[in-house]
Amino acid sequence: MLIIFLIILIIILLVILWQLISGIRHIISDLNYINNHSTNASVTINNSNKLLNRLVISINQQIDFSREMNQKRLSDDEQIRNTMTNLTHDIKTPLAVASGYTQLLEQSATKDQKTKLDRISINLTSIDKYLATMMDFNILNERRINFTPTDTNISELLTNSLLSFYDTFENSQITPVINIAENQYLLTDATLLTRVFQNLFGNVAKYGSKTVYVLLESETKDSVKIILKNRVSDPSIAMKMTTLMDRYKTTKPQTSQGLGLQITSSILKQLNSSISTKWLSSSNEFEVVLNLQSVTRVPDDSLQK
């Protein structure tokens, strides 16, 4: 009789153990799916074990709380983006008016007045550059939400961006030396990558001199390397720029190359790519290397939760 009781007890314990193991495996499977997909699903249970049911209820409560916090964060981020966009546009109009009045006053100003107006004009130009940087930052945040990778001809995109700076380089007496491999395609966001090229060529036009070397070569089927190298007019700026890739700051109050490079680095990170800089003291040149790769998936930041 005792043996029969022990056998029944062991069977009951084995059933309970099997329920626990099976239920935990099921919970883990559900959690893995929820963690790796954009879904409103909840954790379920495949048996009637009361302990596991209480565990599932607690887990789902925590999941619901996390989703609510995530929705609040997205809403707050959207409000911040809208505020920044409105601010930049609201400031842009009176800034343009102020610049226009300054130019009109300069036409009839005395020598002393012209000196003061020149200072005002420089400060207005500086503010305009910071506004442009803020707008770039807004574009970056918007593209995190609306990320659209397409099959893009990098060779053509780089060439067109370079051509758009032809007059600017000519006025700055900078001669491009180009070696661009033809028809190099990557799966990427063309809008974001264009902003990267414009930012870098803008820095070349602003701080470069004499010659800029532009090289594009294939690395693998899904990656290319772009090298920009040019002599800079102020070596101290180039040497400082090499240390600015991970910091939101500028080398001087009136410049914004540090923030511009940081935004460029952020964009490339989103595009599964990277940027590195090097100061070549022997030739007095500043080198920028872009390692571009195809996007394998849409970044997590772009998923609508």
Side-chain angles (χ1 to χ4, degrees):
M1 186 71 178
L2 181 59
I3 294 174
I4 295 174
F5 175 76
L6 288 173
I7 291 173
I8 294 173
L9 181 61
I10 290 171
I11 292 173
I12 293 173
L13 290 174
L14 287 174
V15 170
I16 294 173
L17 181 61
W18 176 84
Q19 283 184 334
L20 288 172
I21 294 173
S22 175
I24 290 172
R25 284 177 176 170
H26 187 82
I27 291 171
I28 292 172
S29 176
D30 281 357
L31 285 173
N32 285 335
Y33 180 84
I34 292 170
N35 288 333
N36 293 306
H37 296 80
S38 179
T39 176
N40 290 320
S42 298
V43 175
T44 58
I45 187 68
N46 62 348
N47 60 58
S48 58
N49 186 282
K50 292 183 179 180
L51 186 62
L52 288 179
N53 273 276
R54 286 165 56 189
L55 175 62
V56 166
I57 291 172
S58 296
I59 290 173
N60 284 331
Q61 287 174 344
Q62 184 60 43
I63 290 173
D64 290 340
F65 177 76
S66 297
R67 283 176 179 153
E68 287 176 10
M69 291 299 99
N70 189 51
Q71 287 294 336
K72 185 178 184 302
R73 179 184 64 82
L74 291 174
S75 177
D76 290 343
D77 288 348
E78 179 68 21
Q79 187 174 357
I80 291 171
R81 282 194 297 272
N82 289 336
T83 301
M84 288 184 65
T85 299
N86 292 335
L87 278 174
T88 52
H89 286 291
D90 288 345
I91 295 172
K92 196 92 176 159
T93 300
L95 183 65
V97 173
S99 297
Y101 278 125
T102 302
Q103 291 171 12
L104 285 174
L105 289 171
E106 283 180 337
Q107 294 176 8
S108 58
T110 63
K111 185 177 180 180
D112 184 56
Q113 290 173 334
K114 194 173 186 309
T115 301
K116 294 177 180 178
L117 288 170
D118 284 343
R119 290 191 196 131
I120 294 173
S121 181
I122 290 171
N123 288 331
L124 290 173
T125 301
S126 177
I127 294 171
D128 188 58
K129 289 177 181 177
Y130 279 111
L131 283 176
T133 302
M134 286 180 65
M135 293 178 77
D136 280 349
F137 186 73
N138 288 343
I139 289 172
L140 172 60
N141 280 325
E142 288 300 323
R143 298 304 286 182
R144 280 179 177 152
I145 301 300
N146 303 304
F147 190 84
T148 53
T150 57
D151 199 24
T152 304
N153 189 329
I154 305 300
S155 307
E156 186 176 291
L157 199 68
L158 180 62
T159 301
N160 289 340
S161 296
L162 187 59
L163 287 173
S164 69
F165 279 84
Y166 178 82
D167 291 337
T168 306
F169 285 158
E170 191 174 57
N171 292 335
S172 302
Q173 297 183 328
I174 297 174
T175 303
V177 177
I178 305 169
N179 184 5
I180 298 177
E182 295 182 353
N183 297 322
Q184 299 298 311
Y185 283 84
L186 293 178
L187 182 64
T188 189
D189 189 301
T191 301
L192 286 179
L193 198 55
T194 297
R195 296 302 295 135
V196 168
F197 294 156
Q198 289 175 343
N199 191 314
L200 294 176
F201 288 140
N203 278 337
V204 170
K206 194 182 301 182
Y207 307 110
S209 63
K210 296 185 179 179
T211 304
V212 56
Y213 298 93
V214 183
L215 169 69
L216 185 152
E217 59 186 9
S218 175
E219 291 280 284
T220 65
K221 179 183 176 182
D222 295 312
S223 66
V224 299
K225 178 185 285 187
I226 296 175
I227 299 176
L228 303 181
K229 185 167 63 174
N230 73 291
R231 189 177 296 249
V232 294
S233 54
D234 186 351
S236 64
I237 291 179
M239 287 185 284
K240 290 178 182 178
M241 284 171 73
T242 60
T243 67
L244 290 171
M245 298 307 300
D246 298 319
R247 287 180 286 176
Y248 279 101
K249 71 175 190 178
T250 58
T251 57
K252 298 180 182 179
Q254 71 268 28
T255 61
S256 59
Q257 66 269 20
L259 184 55
L261 278 175
Q262 177 61 39
I263 291 174
T264 297
S265 179
S266 298
I267 291 174
L268 288 170
K269 184 177 180 181
Q270 188 180 345
L271 295 177
N272 194 33
S273 302
S274 63
I275 180 174
S276 61
T277 59
K278 185 188 297 183
W279 169 242
L280 307 174
S281 56
S282 59
S283 57
N284 204 35
E285 291 177 318
F286 186 63
E287 181 180 85
V288 178
V289 178
L290 305 181
N291 291 296
L292 306 182
Q293 299 187 62
S294 285
V295 178
T296 54
R297 62 185 179 88
V298 176
D300 293 338
D301 287 345
S302 68
L303 293 175
Q304 294 284 3
K305 300 294 184 183

